[in-house]
Amino acid sequence: MAPLADLYQVSMAYGHWRAGRHRAPAAAELFFRRPPFRGSFALGAGLAEGLRGLRAFRFSAADVAYLRSVLPSTTDDAFFDYLATLDASEVTVTAIPEGSVVFPRVPFLQVKGPLLVVQLLETTLLCLVNYASLVATNAARFRLLAGPDMKLMEMGLRRAQGPDGALSASKYSYIGGFDCTSNILAGKLYGIPVRGTIAHSFVMSFRCLEEVQPRDLLPRAGGDPVDLAGLAVSWLQRVCDLLQTPPSKANQGELAAFVSYAVTFPCDFQGLLDTYCVRRSGLPNFCAVALALHQLGYQAIGVRLDSGDLAQQSKEIREVFRACGAHFQVPWFGTIPIAVSNDISEQSLEEFRREGSEIDMIGIGTNLVTCPLQPSLGCVYKLVEVNGSPCLKLTEDEEKMTIPGMKAIYRLYDAAGHPFMDLMALEEEPSPSAGQELGIHVLGQLGETTKVIPSTVEPLHRTYFRDGQVCEPLPSLPEVRTHAQVSLSLLSPAHRRLHEPQPYPVAVTERLHRLFLELRQGSH
Amino acid sequence: MAPLADLYQVSMAYGHWRAGRHRAPAAAELFFRRPPFRGSFALGAGLAEGLRGLRAFRFSAADVAYLRSVLPSTTDDAFFDYLATLDASEVTVTAIPEGSVVFPRVPFLQVKGPLLVVQLLETTLLCLVNYASLVATNAARFRLLAGPDMKLMEMGLRRAQGPDGALSASKYSYIGGFDCTSNILAGKLYGIPVRGTIAHSFVMSFRCLEEVQPRDLLPRAGGDPVDLAGLAVSWLQRVCDLLQTPPSKANQGELAAFVSYAVTFPCDFQGLLDTYCVRRSGLPNFCAVALALHQLGYQAIGVRLDSGDLAQQSKEIREVFRACGAHFQVPWFGTIPIAVSNDISEQSLEEFRREGSEIDMIGIGTNLVTCPLQPSLGCVYKLVEVNGSPCLKLTEDEEKMTIPGMKAIYRLYDAAGHPFMDLMALEEEPSPSAGQELGIHVLGQLGETTKVIPSTVEPLHRTYFRDGQVCEPLPSLPEVRTHAQVSLSLLSPAHRRLHEPQPYPVAVTERLHRLFLELRQGSH
């Protein structure tokens, strides 16, 4: 991958180079300012890809030639030669492990190295972390709402920002707690479980049973092939009698599509119920084919609904399944999994819970991958130290102020095992100790000193990148996913809840606070 | 690029193959159902990339091996052999030219070919068209709001869905009417003009003037090098006297950063005014350095503001520039371009217009590339004909109904040259004639026949892809961009306006309407 950069960053790099400051030791931090989706937390993600971006960080001859064409003609040639030699081999990166819960203002990535390279890495890192963390957080919220047993499937391929946006969406939704994706490429590249159902276009491509080829199916236990279409037609009559709906209202093309699918995938038969009328067509047709299959020893694996009142329909469908199961003495019929899709949002999940539903699986596309509640996490990357001097950005906008200096970050836990505060300290300060009182200043009320006694103190950052190489083993995707669920489960309910959560306090030590005051003093 | 597909599409493909229907002639259409952002129109974009996706459409050996691992183990081996032979060489694609204004329900891409391939192309095409059209439309709205003279810069690299999402954002924002991007890679790959300014981190990396190296600058007209830092300090005193602000409040690090940037880019000097206090630091420092440069024969090219009340500040800054220009007799000083950024939205542009402003250039990131007002266009891809039979999807959701059959699409213009209706006809119908009365049925009020007399009739689709090749010359990016502006300019003001526009009518011919009624009848 070519370095991702905005033009001004290369202009600045030239400025530093001209000034002979390009190798000045510098440190930058990556963090977000406000928790997304009006919650209290985010999931930090994108670290592994960011590290890959660091390893690949290099300007090719073509990159350099292009930059030469867009920078002012007065730019010194030697600068371009220098650019061609750059890599990230002198950069050190520490970070909070991928998939951890992270909070506003707390750096979840720290970069140290020569000023020029540290600045040039800004966009690469932001671009790889920003959306990753946003969509992982969004997925985690869906998981929290759906509860641990609901199957959640990501199906946003066609709504993402192109193919790579879609792949990121699949990967980071999985990290955030989804079970599977519809995206084959994501399955192939990342090993995420892929799932699929039948689509309206398949159903619509059939007009009548005569189109079904082949229609014979071997019984599972062996024996002569049976005409599944004929069998389904006779079952349709029995189902319609039971459901008291006229067989003439069951769409023949739909029945043909179901039969064709069942002959093709006898062990994986599933139905899409809403191409025509659910109650009078989709449901009787599905039951007929599933019962015909059952007669041959096969078990249908599910149905999907893609329109209408999903919760209400799921209950009606469950009733029909139970009635069929009881009447035709097919016990498993009552528990056929019901999947739903169609613009599912957090609000939909809340409604399902409120109204009650018989839904077993939810497919989410647009509202997962585009994060409409907040389509950008707004991570920023700020210099905090250059040449041994801490940097402070003081603007008229308090929220845009930075916390200066190279820091160590601690998460403080209470006696119940819940994290209750993240604490930023100067790197050279001794680590706080469990069970000992600390004087700290909470961001947002910096003027006051607060005393806290943590039961446990966890240093949050690990060193992931040094000397051009990843120096800490990176967990697998399923490991990151598990870590995310553990990290979320530790949160106190007040911080974890999605609506009006208690804001999670982030604090600085006395010494960091003093440094901040001194710098602020000095800049006026 | 490997084919983009959801698993169910491959399952369906297997279904068609098993049934011997995989080569049945089929046709599908791509369209959206509702206009985005509560406007009346969208810009259709992504065609060239979609065509590239078609040319590259092929399952590699690795793709096939992966599919073998995820499809049911009962899947016939010969199917995988068949998959490995597939390409798009039998597919024909017609489309509305890229960058055209398009309306809901009107197909802007039509695909014909063997059923199996036509269905498999669904996700590739949707993935490449959906976001492209969305962000182009978003950009077009910003352009309409900003007026033709405002410079608009895309700067969403770090807020997009990863690197490729960002590249798409740059390309399609340009098509929609933006002037330039900050993204170097987009400049390199697509030839889009790139622009850059100075960043807070550059300003913050300086503490004092002593850090500025080198500080000498040759006057433009020749002569001995001059210490720009010293010159700037003397100008700072004069500027502060004029502005009645104490020089001690002008941040020394900021002055150093400006001097350093000016020495580095004397012909391209620009200032970022809000790292510290705009009025007492950024503005005097910028004026001092710009006037020092002017003394040596160089002209500053602009300033940028990234926080606070941008419109109000721009007016204050303009006043200061004019005052400096008049007092120090530097006429061009009054017209130094003022650029703004910081979470600019449509609402911001409306406020700028309402309050008046002196803004010359606007940089937009998040609200351009993530399209928060509607983060997905929701394009769909629907089969309309299989084996010579038109398909109809009738669901309980009227909006989700499809219009059956292979169609020709016409745009009807009134005497003033404004398009007033898009008309879908059956492919085999004769083209409507200009000046002749037509009986049509408008979608949404299908029951009534309406008479219209178009002054001009434009067939909208061209054939772009046939026999595996692109068969129509594709315009360059600047040509697409120009076409988009022309297409927008033809819209009547009532359809073009962004808030509560008059909905643009889309109609079907009498014959298409009859076909629709017959099919609906037949499906009950």
Side-chain angles (χ1 to χ4, degrees):
Chain A
M1 188 177 60
L4 299 167
D6 288 313
L7 184 60
Y8 76 84
Q9 293 175 293
V10 181
S11 306
M12 288 198 307
Y14 180 55
H16 289 315
W17 181 85
R18 273 282 320 249
R21 297 155 43 86
H22 50 294
R23 296 192 47 75
E29 290 176 348
L30 192 154
F31 58 93
F32 58 94
R33 293 189 175 115
R34 265 176 274 183
F37 314 122
R38 299 202 199 117
S40 80
F41 66 87
L43 283 187
L47 176 61
E49 278 197 271
L51 296 175
R52 211 167 15 248
L54 285 183
R55 285 190 55 181
F57 179 80
R58 210 158 281 116
F59 288 97
S60 69
D63 294 335
V64 172
Y66 175 72
L67 288 172
R68 202 187 285 269
S69 76
V70 292
L71 283 181
S73 58
T74 52
T75 310
D76 190 333
D77 256 1
F79 171 66
F80 297 109
D81 299 338
Y82 180 70
L83 273 189
T85 68
L86 281 187
D87 61 28
S89 59
E90 293 182 69
V91 165
T92 301
V93 173
T94 71
I96 300 181
E98 183 150 17
S100 301
V101 166
V102 287
F103 298 101
R105 311 284 294 265
V106 179
F108 60 103
L109 210 95
Q110 295 173 315
V111 182
K112 291 179 205 170
L115 175 60
L116 187 144
V117 177
V118 168
Q119 285 212 335
L120 278 178
L121 289 174
E122 173 173 3
T123 310
T124 297
L125 292 172
L126 283 176
C127 189
L128 295 172
V129 163
N130 239 333
Y131 177 65
S133 300
L134 183 73
V135 77
T137 307
N138 201 21
R141 291 173 63 93
F142 278 112
R143 170 54 71 200
L144 286 170
L145 277 170
D149 298 325
M150 181 74 79
K151 290 273 174 223
L152 293 177
M153 173 161 93
E154 178 273 319
M155 39 188 276
L157 173 52
R158 55 194 63 184
R159 304 299 163 86
Q161 291 178 8
D164 285 23
L167 283 173
S168 300
S170 301
K171 182 196 278 189
Y172 296 108
S173 302
Y174 182 68
I175 285 181
F178 271 54
D179 297 291
C180 54
T181 176
S182 65
N183 183 345
I184 291 173
L185 201 54
K188 181 186 160 200
L189 294 178
Y190 307 134
I192 301 169
V194 282
R195 284 286 295 269
T197 66
I198 175 175
H200 291 120
S201 59
F202 186 81
V203 177
M204 287 164 64
S205 75
F206 286 82
R207 302 292 300 276
C208 60
L209 278 171
E210 288 65 42
E211 290 168 354
V212 180
Q213 279 296 344
R215 37 203 287 171
D216 285 353
L217 184 63
L218 290 173
R220 192 164 200 175
D224 292 331
V226 176
D227 172 15
L228 190 68
L231 198 58
V233 168
S234 69
W235 272 106
L236 181 61
Q237 185 61 57
R238 298 173 66 185
V239 169
C240 286
D241 286 349
L242 176 67
L243 304 184
Q244 298 188 298
T245 167
S248 62
K249 293 292 182 190
N251 186 287
Q252 286 295 296
E254 186 178 51
L255 181 63
F258 289 176
V259 169
S260 180
Y261 200 89
V263 171
T264 310
F265 296 113
C267 302
D268 299 271
F269 173 60
Q270 45 194 324
L272 173 60
L273 303 186
D274 67 334
T275 308
Y276 308 103
C277 174
V278 174
R279 203 169 56 77
R280 301 200 292 184
S281 183
L283 195 48
N285 278 332
F286 170 81
C287 291
V289 176
L291 288 163
L293 269 182
H294 171 75
Q295 196 179 327
L296 303 183
Y298 300 99
Q299 191 166 327
I301 63 166
V303 294
R304 180 165 71 101
L305 265 176
D306 188 44
S307 57
D309 182 335
L310 302 171
Q312 182 55 32
Q313 288 181 95
S314 75
K315 289 188 272 189
E316 290 163 17
I317 292 166
R318 181 69 66 214
E319 265 181 43
V320 167
F321 287 166
R322 287 196 183 119
C324 282
H327 186 80
F328 300 117
Q329 297 181 307
V330 182
W332 59 264
F333 220 85
T335 59
I336 292 175
I338 300 173
V340 298
S341 51
N342 189 25
D343 213 18
I344 305 282
S345 63
E346 288 191 4
Q347 211 180 334
S348 316
L349 266 66
E350 282 160 359
E351 279 165 25
F352 296 164
R353 195 147 71 173
R354 208 164 40 238
E355 294 176 25
S357 88
E358 290 288 343
I359 296 167
D360 302 290
M361 175 162 174
I362 303 178
I364 312 183
T366 309
N367 291 309
L368 175 62
V369 308
T370 69
C371 305
L373 290 179
Q374 181 177 330
S376 168
L377 181 53
C379 283
V380 294
Y381 179 92
K382 294 290 172 195
L383 275 185
V384 291
E385 190 163 311
V386 176
N387 259 332
S389 300
C391 309
L392 177 65
K393 179 171 179 247
L394 277 175
T395 65
E396 281 149 50
D397 196 343
E398 191 277 336
E399 203 192 41
K400 284 197 166 186
M401 284 195 322
T402 58
I403 313 288
M406 304 225 263
K407 306 177 192 73
I409 316 289
Y410 303 96
R411 183 157 291 172
L412 311 184
Y413 291 81
D414 62 20
H418 298 305
F420 69 88
M421 176 176 288
D422 281 8
L423 179 65
M424 300 190 241
L426 285 170
E427 206 176 32
E428 64 266 28
E429 287 188 72
S431 166
S433 301
Q436 298 213 336
E437 189 178 76
L438 288 166
I440 52 90
H441 295 255
V442 175
L443 298 189
Q445 45 198 54
L446 279 178
E448 302 162 33
T449 307
T450 309
K451 303 283 182 194
V452 295
I453 305 180
S455 292
T456 316
V457 174
E458 180 191 22
L460 281 183
H461 278 241
R462 297 186 200 162
T463 302
Y464 280 97
F465 192 87
R466 179 177 280 147
D467 301 329
Q469 296 302 326
V470 176
C471 57
E472 166 92 16
L474 293 178
S476 69
L477 218 51
E479 286 166 345
V480 174
R481 181 173 186 271
T482 303
H483 174 67
Q485 292 305 312
V486 171
S487 190
L488 285 164
S489 71
L490 294 178
L491 282 185
S492 78
H495 293 132
R496 192 169 54 219
R497 69 170 177 253
L498 304 187
H499 293 296
E500 299 178 14
Q502 194 175 309
Y504 184 88
V506 171
V508 296
T509 58
E510 294 273 15
R511 277 187 55 190
L512 185 48
H513 184 241
R514 268 201 305 279
L515 173 68
F516 176 78
L517 292 183
E518 282 164 25
L519 286 170
R520 194 168 63 176
Q521 193 64 27
S523 82
H524 282 307
Chain B
M1 188 176 61
L4 300 167
D6 288 314
L7 184 60
Y8 75 84
Q9 294 176 294
V10 181
S11 306
M12 289 198 306
Y14 181 55
H16 290 315
W17 181 86
R18 273 285 317 250
R21 297 156 41 87
H22 50 294
R23 296 193 46 76
E29 291 176 348
L30 192 154
F31 59 93
F32 58 92
R33 294 192 175 112
R34 264 175 274 182
F37 313 124
R38 300 202 196 118
S40 80
F41 66 87
L43 283 187
L47 175 61
E49 277 196 273
L51 297 175
R52 211 166 17 245
L54 285 184
R55 285 190 55 180
F57 178 79
R58 209 158 280 116
F59 289 97
S60 69
D63 293 335
V64 172
Y66 175 71
L67 288 172
R68 204 186 286 267
S69 76
V70 292
L71 283 181
S73 59
T74 53
T75 309
D76 190 332
D77 256 2
F79 172 66
F80 296 109
D81 299 338
Y82 180 69
L83 273 189
T85 68
L86 281 187
D87 60 29
S89 58
E90 293 182 67
V91 164
T92 301
V93 174
T94 71
I96 300 181
E98 184 151 14
S100 300
V101 167
V102 288
F103 298 101
R105 310 284 293 266
V106 179
F108 61 104
L109 209 96
Q110 294 172 315
V111 181
K112 291 179 206 173
L115 175 59
L116 187 145
V117 177
V118 167
Q119 285 212 335
L120 278 178
L121 289 173
E122 173 173 2
T123 310
T124 297
L125 291 173
L126 283 176
C127 189
L128 295 173
V129 163
N130 238 333
Y131 177 65
S133 300
L134 183 73
V135 76
T137 307
N138 201 20
R141 291 173 63 92
F142 277 113
R143 170 53 71 199
L144 285 169
L145 276 170
D149 299 325
M150 181 74 79
K151 290 271 174 224
L152 293 177
M153 174 160 93
E154 178 273 319
M155 39 188 276
L157 174 51
R158 55 193 65 184
R159 304 299 163 87
Q161 291 178 10
D164 284 24
L167 282 174
S168 300
S170 302
K171 181 197 277 188
Y172 296 108
S173 301
Y174 182 67
I175 284 181
F178 271 53
D179 297 292
C180 54
T181 176
S182 64
N183 182 346
I184 291 173
L185 201 53
K188 181 186 160 201
L189 294 177
Y190 307 134
I192 300 170
V194 281
R195 285 285 296 268
T197 66
I198 177 176
H200 291 120
S201 59
F202 185 81
V203 177
M204 286 164 65
S205 75
F206 287 82
R207 304 291 301 274
C208 60
L209 278 171
E210 288 64 42
E211 290 169 353
V212 180
Q213 280 297 343
R215 37 204 289 170
D216 284 353
L217 184 63
L218 289 174
R220 191 164 201 173
D224 291 331
V226 176
D227 172 15
L228 190 69
L231 199 57
V233 168
S234 69
W235 273 105
L236 180 61
Q237 186 60 59
R238 297 172 66 185
V239 168
C240 287
D241 286 350
L242 177 67
L243 306 184
Q244 296 187 299
T245 167
S248 63
K249 293 291 183 191
N251 185 288
Q252 287 295 296
E254 186 179 51
L255 181 63
F258 288 176
V259 170
S260 179
Y261 201 88
V263 171
T264 311
F265 296 113
C267 303
D268 298 271
F269 173 61
Q270 45 194 323
L272 173 61
L273 303 187
D274 66 334
T275 308
Y276 306 102
C277 174
V278 174
R279 202 170 56 76
R280 301 200 292 186
S281 183
L283 196 49
N285 277 333
F286 170 80
C287 291
V289 175
L291 288 163
L293 269 182
H294 172 75
Q295 196 179 327
L296 303 182
Y298 301 98
Q299 191 166 325
I301 63 166
V303 293
R304 180 164 72 102
L305 266 176
D306 188 44
S307 57
D309 181 336
L310 302 171
Q312 182 55 32
Q313 288 181 96
S314 75
K315 290 188 270 190
E316 290 162 16
I317 292 166
R318 181 68 67 215
E319 266 180 41
V320 167
F321 286 166
R322 288 197 182 117
C324 282
H327 186 80
F328 300 117
Q329 296 182 307
V330 183
W332 60 263
F333 219 86
T335 59
I336 292 175
I338 300 173
V340 299
S341 52
N342 189 26
D343 213 18
I344 304 283
S345 62
E346 288 192 4
Q347 211 181 333
S348 316
L349 266 67
E350 282 160 359
E351 279 165 24
F352 297 165
R353 195 146 71 174
R354 210 167 38 240
E355 294 177 24
S357 87
E358 291 287 343
I359 296 167
D360 302 290
M361 175 161 174
I362 302 177
I364 311 183
T366 309
N367 291 309
L368 176 61
V369 308
T370 68
C371 304
L373 289 180
Q374 180 177 333
S376 168
L377 182 53
C379 283
V380 294
Y381 179 93
K382 294 291 171 195
L383 274 186
V384 291
E385 190 164 312
V386 176
N387 258 333
S389 301
C391 309
L392 176 65
K393 180 172 179 248
L394 278 175
T395 66
E396 280 148 52
D397 196 344
E398 190 277 337
E399 203 192 42
K400 285 197 168 187
M401 283 195 321
T402 57
I403 313 288
M406 304 226 264
K407 307 178 191 71
I409 316 288
Y410 302 95
R411 184 157 290 173
L412 311 183
Y413 291 81
D414 63 20
H418 298 306
F420 69 88
M421 178 176 289
D422 281 8
L423 178 66
M424 300 190 241
L426 286 170
E427 207 177 32
E428 62 268 26
E429 287 188 71
S431 166
S433 301
Q436 298 212 336
E437 190 178 77
L438 288 167
I440 54 91
H441 295 256
V442 175
L443 298 190
Q445 45 198 56
L446 278 178
E448 303 164 31
T449 309
T450 309
K451 304 283 184 195
V452 296
I453 305 180
S455 293
T456 315
V457 174
E458 180 191 22
L460 280 183
H461 278 242
R462 297 186 200 164
T463 302
Y464 280 97
F465 192 87
R466 179 177 279 149
D467 302 330
Q469 296 302 326
V470 176
C471 57
E472 166 93 14
L474 293 178
S476 69
L477 218 52
E479 285 166 346
V480 175
R481 181 174 187 270
T482 303
H483 174 67
Q485 292 305 311
V486 171
S487 191
L488 285 165
S489 71
L490 294 179
L491 282 185
S492 77
H495 293 133
R496 191 169 52 220
R497 69 170 177 253
L498 304 187
H499 293 297
E500 300 179 12
Q502 194 176 310
Y504 184 88
V506 172
V508 295
T509 59
E510 295 273 16
R511 277 188 56 189
L512 184 49
H513 184 239
R514 268 201 306 278
L515 173 67
F516 176 79
L517 292 182
E518 282 163 26
L519 286 171
R520 195 166 63 174
Q521 191 66 27
S523 82
H524 282 308

